[in-house]
Amino acid sequence: MTKLTATQRTVLAAATARADRLALPLPDHIRGGAAKKVVTGLLTRGLVEEAPAIGGAPVWRDAGDAGALTLVATNAAFAALGLTPPAAKPLAAATEAAEPQPTEPTGANAAAPEASDPAAAPAEKPRLRAGTKQAQMIAMLEAPDGATVPEIAEATGWQQHTVRGAIAGALKKRLGLDVTSEKVVGRGRAYRIAR
């Protein structure tokens, strides 16, 4: 049997219990990034598949020219839960004959577009929350003189290796900020966000 998380098991159990095998709507507690992560995992493993959303089926994402898509449990989903799949696949048979309907995603699924192909989705700029240690670090690095790792560590309460990791990972990779450094006599290596 396929190893599933509790959330994946909940989504698949609901989908396999429905006559149309729809994995949507997702449980209320699964929204936004969590919904995208759960569905991406299920899509990658072939436990659900995208199908045109017809007849008022809940919409997972809008695929542009292909129209609105929903999520349908596959035979592999039944096998992963230790169940025998029913003989017919009602929604799949209906979707082959129907034209997709272009609509916008709604509800909890609106925050998770392009779940099946994250590389094809345009890069969404991560949000920066005010009042966080990361925001404090960015403010220090935006100063004309920048900041050193020990200065940031003292201000945030982080270990120095955490500061270096945050600069390389969160600021450079995730946020795409251009962080430069230079050796300053009497101060050490100072980091600054280039503007």
Side-chain angles (χ1 to χ4, degrees):
M1 198 181 311
T2 305
K3 187 173 181 181
L4 300 170
T5 66
T7 305
Q8 290 172 333
R9 186 170 295 281
T10 301
V11 170
L12 290 181
T16 56
R18 295 182 183 116
D20 55 10
R21 295 186 179 192
L22 288 176
L24 299 177
L26 295 173
D28 290 337
H29 69 281
I30 306 172
R31 293 187 291 262
K36 183 175 181 179
K37 186 172 184 176
V38 168
V39 171
T40 300
L42 294 173
L43 283 164
T44 301
R45 297 161 100 180
L47 300 173
V48 296
E49 62 187 6
E50 291 180 327
I54 59 167
V59 176
W60 168 244
R61 69 179 184 100
D62 186 3
D65 293 340
L69 298 175
T70 191
L71 299 170
V72 181
T74 64
N75 287 342
F78 285 87
L81 294 174
L83 303 172
T84 304
K89 200 172 174 185
L91 184 65
T95 57
E96 291 174 3
E99 280 293 315
Q101 303 171 358
T103 59
E104 291 296 315
T106 58
N109 303 323
E114 303 295 329
S116 66
D117 190 5
E124 183 179 310
K125 186 174 182 176
R127 294 182 312 202
L128 181 62
R129 295 183 324 201
T132 62
K133 290 181 180 182
Q134 180 176 313
Q136 182 181 6
M137 180 173 61
I138 290 172
M140 292 177 74
L141 294 173
E142 287 177 334
D145 292 335
T148 64
V149 170
E151 291 168 352
I152 297 170
E154 184 178 329
T156 60
W158 287 343
Q159 297 288 324
Q160 291 187 21
H161 66 274
T162 304
V163 173
R164 287 188 291 273
I167 289 171
L171 301 186
K172 288 184 176 180
K173 291 181 184 174
R174 190 171 140 260
L175 295 176
L177 297 175
D178 185 17
V179 180
T180 61
S181 69
E182 65 178 325
K183 190 88 166 180
V184 178
V185 176
R187 191 168 171 218
R189 184 160 299 277
Y191 294 85
R192 184 173 44 246
I193 295 176
R195 295 279 170 176

